[in-house]
């Protein structure tokens, strides 16, 4: 039974199933993250068991359950179960994704506790670190769970917590309420997630950091959350920021009017906007943009003919650099809650020249021409699927001998450990595909 339910016990499985079915309904497809019923957590009645959810709805489902993931992280989870480029997933595929999420979460806790342990290990008289067995941590994974360790783990997993709360939890560990190991920390994390998700559900699925940014934006517009309201000129200014171009574009102006009417449930023209309705509108706007971009990616992946392993490796590299660069096409209040990462031309060029080495001015101009060609919005940066289009063209033309240089890089970095060797073997296989 555990195998059939992907390792989840009954209560967990029911909770996940209910969340999946909730977001597979037409009700949520129309209204974003906001629910229209009494807020119960039970599954909707008369739901098609063959229902499917989109990647965006998977993101919503995870937020509903209390996971503080970004949309790009959700797409990576799809990649991990070989659902690369898939538009939707069924309930069993959803459970597979959740199994990956839980496995990676446990691995992350182990990693952070292990990292902290290495930092804390005292030196022996000979100058070497003491082994785990004669140090602080036992071979079975037990260690002293301190406030500092909890802070590192929770921050790494995307759950920032106040120091006072962390101190309280560390006392619970000291008093024996939780086992002082990975599984005790995982138990605390599940409890915290249930607490977090109640707030997330009330705030259109926004994380605590996103909510803080939107509260500041709402206050800048002229109203103080949670009870303040935007009216008159302040409301007009807010609408212009929520719907850029509405002043000049009739279609955008109509969309703004219909969205305001839908969200505020106004029988006529909307004359005021509270903070919760503001959050709902931002969620709908972000969802609309994200859905369009995900569809673009889905269509691009179908035409580019990369195998799933190639897409996965490229996405990991792309997202790593994008996180460091923190690039965003969005501006204004959407800048810090934008869901789709981008890479600047400069970052792409640095990445590729790092592989191919120094290139001539002619080669650099050829690269710039390709980047400008795949940049459909003329924004000076690339979405992931645009980056893949550029890579495909570079591979086909063997720009600056990049195929051979990539192969040299793989074999030069061949690892000593079995795990790393296996990983590099995958990269080597990927390079051979590039040559083919």
């Amino acid at each position: 039974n555990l195998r059939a339910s992907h390792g989840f016990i009954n209560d967990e499985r029911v909770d996940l199933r209910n969340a999946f079915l909730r977001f597979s309904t037409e009700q949520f497809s129309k209204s974003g993250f906001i629910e229209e019923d009494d807020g119960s957590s039970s599954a909707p009645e008369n739901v098609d068991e063959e229902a499917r959810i989109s990647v965006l709805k998977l993101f919503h489902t995870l937020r509903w359950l209390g996971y503080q993931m970004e949309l790009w992280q959700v797409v990576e989870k799809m990649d991990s179960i070989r659902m690369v480029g898939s538009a939707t997933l069924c309930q069993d595929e959803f459970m597979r994704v959740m199994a990956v999420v839980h496995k990676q979460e446990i691995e992350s806790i182990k990693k952070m506790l292990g990292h902290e342990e290495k930092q804390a290990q005292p030196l022996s008289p000979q100058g070497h670190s003491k082994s785990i067995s004669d140090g602080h941590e036992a071979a079975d994974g037990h260690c002293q769970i301190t406030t500092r360790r909890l802070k590192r783990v929770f921050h790494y997993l995307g759950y920032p917590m106040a120091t006072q709360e962390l101190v309280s939890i560390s006392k619970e560990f000291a008093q024996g309420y939780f086992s002082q190991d990975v599984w005790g920390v995982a138990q605390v994390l599940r409890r915290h997630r249930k607490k977090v998700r109640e707030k997330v559900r009330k705030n259109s699925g926004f994380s605590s950091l996103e909510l803080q940014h939107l509260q500041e934006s709402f206050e800048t517009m002229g109203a103080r959350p949670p009870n303040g309201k935007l009216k008159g000129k302040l409301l007009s200014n807010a609408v212009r920021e929520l719907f850029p171009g509405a002043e000049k574009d009739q279609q955008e102006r109509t969309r703004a009017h219909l969205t305001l009417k839908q969200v505020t449930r106004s029988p006529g023209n909307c004359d005021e906007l509270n903070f919760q309705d503001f959050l709902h509108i931002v969620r709908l706007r972000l969802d609309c943009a994200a859905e369009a971009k995900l569809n673009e990616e889905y269509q691009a992946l179908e035409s580019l003919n990369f195998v799933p392993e190639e897409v996965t490796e490229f996405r990991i590299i792309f997202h790593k650099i994008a996180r460091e660069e923190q690039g965003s096409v969005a501006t204004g209040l959407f800048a810090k809650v934008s869901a789709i990462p981008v890479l600047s031309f400069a970052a792409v060029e640095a990445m590729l020249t790092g592989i191919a080495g120094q290139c001539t001015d002619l080669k650099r101009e050829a690269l710039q021409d390709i980047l400008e060609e795949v940049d459909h919005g003329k924004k000076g940066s690339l979405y992931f699927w645009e980056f893949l289009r550029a890579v495909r063209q570079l591979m086909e033309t063997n720009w600056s001998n990049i195929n051979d240089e990539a192969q040299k890089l793989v074999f030069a970095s061949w690892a000593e450990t079995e795990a790393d060797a296996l990983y590099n073997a995958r990269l080597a296989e990927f390079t051979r595909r590039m040559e083919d």
Side-chain angles (χ1 to χ4, degrees):
N1 288 337
L2 278 175
R3 185 176 299 163
S5 60
H6 300 281
F8 296 109
I9 61 176
N10 191 56
D11 287 348
E12 292 174 325
R13 183 179 59 81
V14 170
D15 198 28
L16 293 174
R17 172 185 175 275
N18 288 348
F20 173 86
L21 295 178
R22 180 175 287 277
F23 282 95
S24 68
T25 63
E26 187 68 17
Q27 167 190 0
F28 282 93
S29 297
K30 291 181 177 179
S31 61
F33 198 86
I34 304 300
E35 60 176 337
E36 306 292 344
D37 59 16
D38 60 0
S40 65
S41 60
S42 59
E45 296 181 2
N46 302 319
V47 175
D48 181 6
E49 291 293 340
E50 297 301 318
R52 302 182 70 87
I53 58 174
S54 66
V55 177
L56 181 61
K57 291 303 171 184
L58 172 60
F59 167 65
H60 288 172
T61 305
L62 285 163
R63 284 291 178 94
W64 174 264
L65 290 165
Y67 292 89
Q68 301 291 282
M69 290 185 188
E70 303 295 337
L71 180 58
W72 60 265
Q73 292 174 307
V74 175
V75 176
E76 283 188 349
K77 297 298 182 287
M78 291 282 285
D79 287 356
S80 67
I81 65 166
R82 295 298 180 262
M83 295 287 292
V84 174
S86 297
T88 61
L89 66 166
C90 67
Q91 188 173 327
D92 183 69
E93 291 162 342
F94 166 72
M95 297 298 286
R96 287 169 58 198
V97 169
M98 295 310 303
V100 169
V101 169
H102 280 212
K103 179 182 177 182
Q104 292 179 350
E105 193 170 75
I106 293 298
E107 290 173 348
S108 295
I109 295 173
K110 288 180 179 179
K111 175 182 176 181
M112 296 311 297
L113 291 180
H115 174 77
E116 187 74 17
E117 179 60 35
K118 289 178 182 178
Q119 296 290 332
Q121 284 180 9
L123 294 177
S124 66
Q126 290 74 29
H128 302 293
S129 296
K130 290 185 178 181
S131 65
I132 288 178
S133 59
D134 62 318
H136 200 47
E137 184 175 347
D140 60 0
H142 282 72
C143 60
Q144 183 180 354
I145 304 299
T146 62
T147 300
R148 178 183 176 184
R149 290 188 171 194
L150 287 172
K151 182 176 181 179
R152 286 183 61 87
V153 171
F154 277 80
H155 178 77
Y156 183 78
L157 293 172
Y159 299 89
M161 295 176 65
T163 301
Q164 184 177 357
E165 188 174 2
L166 289 168
V167 170
S168 177
I169 294 173
S170 64
K171 288 180 179 178
E172 290 182 293
F173 275 100
Q175 294 167 1
Y177 289 104
F178 303 102
S179 59
Q180 300 225 16
D181 56 15
V182 170
W183 308 109
V185 175
Q187 188 178 355
V188 170
L189 179 59
R190 286 195 296 272
R191 184 184 70 174
H192 179 69
R193 188 156 45 229
K194 287 184 178 180
K195 178 181 176 182
V196 166
R197 72 188 193 185
E198 296 307 317
K199 186 175 182 180
V200 171
R201 292 175 182 184
K202 292 176 181 177
N203 291 293
S204 298
F206 289 109
S207 67
S208 57
L209 293 177
E210 292 168 342
L211 185 63
Q212 180 181 348
H213 167 69
L214 292 172
Q215 285 173 333
E216 292 170 356
S217 297
F218 192 73
E219 190 169 345
T220 300
M221 291 176 178
R224 184 182 296 273
N227 300 317
K229 295 181 180 180
L230 297 171
K231 300 179 181 180
K233 187 176 181 180
L234 295 178
L235 176 59
S236 299
N237 293 338
V239 170
R240 279 195 291 271
E241 192 161 354
L242 288 164
F243 299 89
E247 282 186 300
K248 299 180 179 179
D249 187 278
Q250 179 61 44
Q251 187 176 2
E252 187 69 6
R253 189 157 53 248
T254 301
R255 183 182 292 112
H257 173 74
L258 293 176
T259 302
L260 285 166
K261 190 172 181 179
Q262 171 198 346
V263 169
T264 62
R265 299 177 178 83
S266 303
N269 291 329
C270 172
D271 56 4
E272 64 180 29
L273 187 68
N274 62 36
F275 184 59
Q276 287 302 317
D277 289 342
F278 167 76
L279 291 179
H280 190 179
I281 292 174
V282 174
R283 169 57 60 205
L284 290 174
R285 298 292 289 161
L286 288 173
D287 288 353
C288 182
E291 194 74 74
K293 296 306 178 186
L294 288 169
N295 288 335
E296 258 188 85
E297 176 175 312
Y298 175 69
Q299 294 170 8
L301 291 180
E302 281 195 321
S303 64
L304 289 171
N305 295 320
F306 283 110
V307 299
E309 290 80 6
E310 292 172 340
V311 175
T312 299
E313 298 296 347
F314 276 131
R315 197 190 302 276
I316 290 172
I317 296 170
F318 183 92
H319 283 165
K320 180 180 184 299
I321 299 175
R323 289 197 302 273
E324 294 170 354
E325 190 180 39
Q326 295 184 332
S328 174
V329 175
T331 57
L333 71 91
F334 295 107
K336 293 185 179 180
V337 291
S338 181
I340 310 295
V342 295
L343 271 186
S344 67
F345 283 5
V348 174
E349 181 178 324
M351 179 204 305
L352 295 173
T353 54
I355 296 173
Q358 295 297 322
C359 57
T360 64
D361 290 342
L362 191 62
K363 291 290 185 181
R364 199 177 298 276
E365 288 177 11
L367 173 60
Q368 192 71 20
D369 289 343
I370 290 175
L371 298 183
E372 290 177 358
E373 179 183 342
V374 299
D375 176 20
H376 289 169
K378 306 304 176 188
K379 54 193 178 296
S381 57
L382 302 182
Y383 290 113
F384 176 63
W385 58 96
E386 294 173 331
F387 168 73
L388 287 182
R389 286 196 179 106
V391 169
R392 173 58 74 194
Q393 289 195 38
L394 294 170
M395 288 166 54
E396 290 175 348
T397 60
N398 196 22
W399 171 83
S400 197
N401 202 31
I402 193 170
N403 293 339
D404 292 340
E405 294 302 324
Q407 186 181 45
K408 291 177 185 177
L409 185 65
V410 169
F411 288 104
S413 62
W414 199 269
E416 295 180 2
T417 66
E418 182 178 350
D420 285 345
L422 181 62
Y423 175 77
N424 280 306
R426 290 176 61 200
L427 286 179
E429 177 62 25
F430 159 67
T431 305
R432 284 192 287 274
R433 291 196 196 100
M434 286 173 59
E435 290 184 320
D436 295 341

